[in-house]
Each structure stands twice: as C-alpha cells, then as structure tokens.
Amino acid sequence: MHRLTPTVRRLAAAKSSKNILISKSKRCFASASPTSWDADTNDSMNTNSLTKLFNPTDDHAALREMVRSFTEREVEPQALEYNRSETFNSELFRKFGSQNGGLGILGLTAPDEFGGTGLPDATAVSIVHEELSYSDPALCLSYLAHSILLVNNLAVNANDEQLARFMPGICDGSKIGGMCMSEPNAGTDVLGMKSNAVYDSARDGFILNGTKMWITNGTLTGKETGDLFLVYARTGTEKRSDITQFVVEAGMEGFNVGQKITDKLGMRASPTAELVFENVFLPAKTHVVGDVNGATLCMMRNLEIERVALAAMAVGIARRSLDEMIAYASNRPAFGKSSLFGFGQIQKHISESYAEYMAGKCYLYAMANGLNLSTYGNGLDADGVKLYCATMAKNVADRAIQVMGGYGYCGEYTVERLWRDAKLLEIGGGTNESHHKNMARDLHKLDGNKLE
C-alpha cells in the first residue's frame, strides 16, 4: 500500500481543521442504516468490516474525507448550472491540480518526482471517483479522462524524459487533456481504427492522419482543442494490433476540433468533441510513448483501471440516488401516513436499491483493493464490476425518480440528471455487450476449473 504524499496529507489535515463537513441533509443514508459505510456514523464504525473494505487504511479514509469535503463545498453548488448550460467548469477543474493549494488529485497515480501525488493505488482511484460522482458525474468524467486515460497512462508507459516534459503541467492543472481512441466507425471494435501514423525517416518522426470521436475534454471552449492528448494510431500493416500511442499537443499544425458534440442525453457538463489530425508531425524521440506497434498492451492495461473508475462513478451515483429517495420518502406524507415508508411499493424500491448498491460497492472495493496498476490480466473482474455497477446505478436512479414522482422528474431534484448520466456508463469504457463477450471468453478458459 502506497502512503499518501505529504501534500495530500497536509491538505486533508487543513480541511479537517476547518471542519468542512458534509451537511446533515446529505447524510440521511448514514442515519438510515446503523451499519452504513459512512465513517462518521458512529464510533463503532472504526472496526466495522465494511469500513475496512471501503477505507482499507487511515490514509484512504483521509483521502475520502478530503475529497468529500471539497465536493460538498465546491462541486455540489455548481453542478446543476453547468449541466443546464452544457458548459465545462474549467476553473473548478483546475482546483483538482496541485497549484495554489489545490487538491492535488489530477496526478493521483503519477510519480511525485514529476509532480504527481505518487499513489498508484486503485482503491484511491475508486474513492475519488465515487465521491466526485455523488455530486457531479459529468465533472468526474472529465476528471477520469484526464487523470486515468491521460496521466495514469503516461505514468505507466512514458520514459523519464517524457514524464519530466509533460507530467508537471497535467498534474498541476495548467493543462487539461485526455485520450483519443474511438473513431467514427471504430468504437468497441477499437482495433478496427483507421487513424494512421507513417514514419518519415528524413525528419525522424511520424505523420499522423485520422479522426477521433467522442473525445472527453477534446475541446474546452467549443473551438480550440484541449491542451494535451494521448492518441492511438495504426503504425503497421501486418497485424490488427500494430498500434502506437503518441502525445499530441494543442497548437500543433494540422490538429483541430472537428466539432463539439452537444445535446447529449447526459454528462452535459463534460465537453465532448471530434478531433481531426491532418498531417500532424510528431517527433519520434519525444512524442512516441512506449514501443512502436506496442500500444495495444498499454491500451488494454489502462482499460482495466478505467473500468474500475467508471464502476466507482456508478457507486457514487447510486449512493446519491439512495440519499435523495430516502430523504424524500421520509418527509412526504400521503394517504394519512406520515411518510412514504409506510407503503410496501416504496419499501421495495428503497430496500432493493440499497441491497444492489451495497453489492456493487463491495464488488468494487474488493476488486480495487487487490488491483496492481502496473499489471495486466485483470479483465474478468474489471469487466464484471463495471457491467454490474453501471446497470445498478441506472436502476437505482430510476427507482429514485419513481419514488419522488413529479419532483424526481425535474432537474432541481438531482435524480433525473443522475439517471441520464448513469446511462453513459453502460456505453463508455466498454459497452455492456463487450463486457459480456470478454467475460464469457475468460470464463470459458476455465475449462472445467471451479470458481473459488
């Protein structure tokens, strides 16, 4: 287990000393269940086995409280406004970085000698994504694209010279970026990508051409590209897996926004774009990450932690949906009863939602606590936890709308946004159908061996 860096420890202590706590109105979930996971429910929680599962160490508990406090104070108040306007709160996002006393979580898994937090820990990744998604899944999606798809990928696969060159800016928040993999005609079939990079021996670099689609943080303004991206492109013709990853920076000639994608069902405060590459020159020495034709392994390895992070987002969405439906049901009288808890139909919605949420959360942290970010081959449960949690979150949000009736259908009451946001989790980072295929393949390989 990696320890929190002094920066994060100091920030956590500072926020604790200011008593920046989640408001009691947001804690109805804790009061509803004496065995809830919330660390501040009662003193006996310190020895509760579920608490140890969700916060394996004191450092994890400190990280959770730090991010939760920041989310309550900074993220929650702006979520509805930016969702309605379909705009990205870049000013708030930069506070996730290490500049000017920020949270220091943009480089959560990156080496501290290059500006990161130095915590290559899947449990820490899960905690941050769960807490941010409780209030604003869209902002969290942009955080995931930056911190996991870009920063973590670079941290694992780039050389020291590249880390020294690119990592400080994307860790401190001065630069915002993401990763480019999907294309207009290659989503789940990622190895069917057509973007290509051809080596130019005279210039010792690659000429990149192609189009990437659905790129989170692809544009921050609607016109200019984001600041820095890892881009996958085909560099060989012998195998479908002959793919290389490159660093592409804003301002490079031929690198432009094709279009900003608007009017999405959900995740509206997270910018999405089509990016176009027309004869973009990329120096081989500085902008090729890893081995030429060797990026498929990098891609698959990073997909595992991406899916865990997306599952954590689903857990955050489900927890907030439960909080909202329990609070509403507790205070809404009907048909002569003091609350909706007196009706069996409502009891069913709430109890089934809680059971499914807890099952997903336990699966998530059991998986995360044992995941080594530098390894590959954890696909069965990376697929499984996202498959289960994504649909679970959508269903819990749907039940919350049903419990709250007309109020749940309106944006002011949060759960309709959570329901819309949750749907993406069944598509992005791998569709449910791709998880079915991958898991069936891996389970078939057991060939008669029994599960533990």
Side-chain angles (χ1 to χ4, degrees):
M1 168 61 203
H2 292 77
R3 308 295 288 179
L4 288 180
T5 63
T7 299
V8 173
R9 193 183 300 279
R10 173 181 57 77
L11 290 170
K15 288 169 175 56
S16 176
S17 67
K18 293 178 181 177
N19 294 314
I20 303 169
L21 302 175
I22 303 300
S23 66
K24 294 299 181 183
S25 64
K26 302 300 182 184
R27 296 295 196 168
C28 59
F29 181 77
S31 61
S33 170
T35 58
S36 164
W37 63 269
D38 271 333
D40 63 350
T41 303
N42 55 56
D43 291 340
S44 67
M45 284 300 297
N46 292 330
T47 58
N48 185 284
S49 60
L50 290 179
T51 299
K52 289 299 182 183
L53 178 63
F54 305 148
N55 299 307
T57 70
D58 290 343
D59 285 344
H60 287 114
L63 176 65
R64 186 184 294 279
E65 186 58 33
M66 180 184 75
V67 178
R68 181 176 294 189
S69 297
F70 181 90
T71 300
E72 165 69 11
R73 188 178 76 258
E74 300 274 359
V75 178
E76 178 69 25
Q78 57 82 58
L80 180 59
E81 174 191 348
Y82 281 85
N83 170 76
R84 284 176 170 169
S85 63
E86 293 191 59
T87 52
F88 176 57
N89 192 341
S90 59
E91 180 180 355
L92 176 58
F93 187 90
R94 294 184 197 280
K95 292 183 180 181
F96 294 157
S98 56
Q99 282 188 331
N100 302 318
L103 278 183
I105 60 172
L106 287 182
L108 187 67
T109 64
D112 51 11
E113 61 264 36
F114 297 108
T117 308
L119 194 65
D121 180 314
T123 303
V125 168
S126 299
I127 287 170
V128 172
H129 284 81
E130 179 193 344
E131 295 299 330
L132 290 176
S133 287
Y134 182 91
S135 287
D136 194 342
L139 187 66
C140 186
L141 185 69
S142 283
Y143 170 77
L144 184 153
H146 182 100
S147 69
I148 300 300
L149 304 188
L150 173 60
V151 174
N152 183 72
N153 200 332
L154 270 178
V156 174
N157 299 301
N159 59 43
D160 284 353
E161 290 76 14
Q162 291 169 326
L163 292 176
R165 177 171 181 161
F166 299 120
M167 196 63 78
I170 56 178
C171 288
D172 67 24
S174 60
K175 293 186 177 181
I176 299 174
M179 181 270 288
C180 302
M181 184 167 64
S182 295
E183 297 185 359
N185 294 303
T188 299
D189 181 21
V190 63
L191 296 184
M193 68 176 61
K194 301 300 182 184
S195 295
N196 67 90
V198 178
Y199 182 65
D200 183 340
S201 58
R203 302 170 67 187
D204 189 24
F206 287 81
I207 309 299
L208 173 64
N209 283 280
T211 301
K212 296 294 183 178
M213 194 68 170
W214 317 116
I215 306 307
T216 302
N217 301 339
T219 178
L220 308 181
T221 64
K223 297 180 180 180
E224 296 84 9
T225 68
D227 297 313
L228 191 144
F229 295 88
L230 275 176
V231 181
Y232 291 96
R234 185 164 301 285
T235 46
T237 57
E238 294 185 5
K239 298 180 294 184
R240 271 170 54 90
S241 59
D242 285 346
I243 292 170
T244 303
Q245 59 178 342
F246 302 89
V247 174
V248 179
E249 300 177 79
M252 285 184 160
E253 186 176 356
F255 176 37
N256 296 291
V257 175
Q259 60 175 317
K260 179 183 178 181
I261 299 169
T262 59
D263 200 24
K264 297 177 295 184
L265 172 70
M267 302 294 184
R268 293 187 171 191
S270 177
T272 311
E274 174 190 47
L275 297 179
V276 179
F277 308 86
E278 297 178 307
N279 296 320
V280 179
F281 177 71
L282 302 168
K285 185 176 180 180
T286 55
H287 286 67
V288 175
V289 177
D291 297 330
V292 174
N293 294 335
T296 300
L297 176 61
C298 304
M299 181 193 305
M300 296 301 121
R301 179 167 51 209
N302 215 61
L303 274 172
E304 293 178 356
I305 186 58
E306 177 187 3
R307 287 166 179 168
V308 170
L310 289 164
M313 289 182 61
V315 168
I317 289 172
R319 176 161 63 89
R320 178 62 178 274
S321 297
L322 265 164
D323 277 353
E324 296 294 337
M325 79 167 97
I326 291 171
Y328 182 87
S330 297
N331 294 286
R332 175 65 186 261
F335 298 99
K337 296 184 182 293
S338 61
S339 78
L340 297 184
F341 271 93
F343 299 93
Q345 302 99 319
I346 304 303
Q347 295 167 5
K348 181 176 187 293
H349 284 317
I350 294 174
S351 59
E352 288 185 349
S353 295
Y354 176 80
E356 292 171 15
Y357 157 74
M358 286 300 292
K361 185 157 184 164
C362 288
Y363 190 4
L364 168 66
Y365 284 98
M367 168 63 179
N369 291 347
L371 181 62
N372 184 334
L373 299 189
S374 66
T375 64
Y376 170 72
N378 310 287
L380 176 60
D381 284 308
D383 279 290
V385 73
K386 178 178 173 292
L387 174 67
Y388 179 82
C389 288
T391 299
M392 176 273 293
K394 185 187 70 174
N395 290 342
V396 172
D398 187 82
R399 292 191 194 111
I401 293 173
Q402 197 68 25
V403 167
M404 297 169 69
Y407 292 104
Y409 197 71
C410 296
E412 181 182 354
Y413 288 82
T414 306
V415 291
E416 66 85 28
R417 170 166 55 88
L418 299 178
W419 180 78
R420 290 187 288 103
D421 289 348
K423 180 58 188 176
L424 179 70
L425 304 181
E426 295 186 318
I427 301 171
T431 61
N432 283 2
E433 292 75 18
S434 70
H435 299 321
H436 296 153
K437 173 182 68 69
N438 295 343
M439 294 175 70
R441 176 199 63 209
D442 292 344
L443 290 167
H444 183 59
K445 290 177 182 178
L446 291 176
D447 194 23
N449 294 324
K450 295 187 183 298
L451 296 169
E452 294 183 3

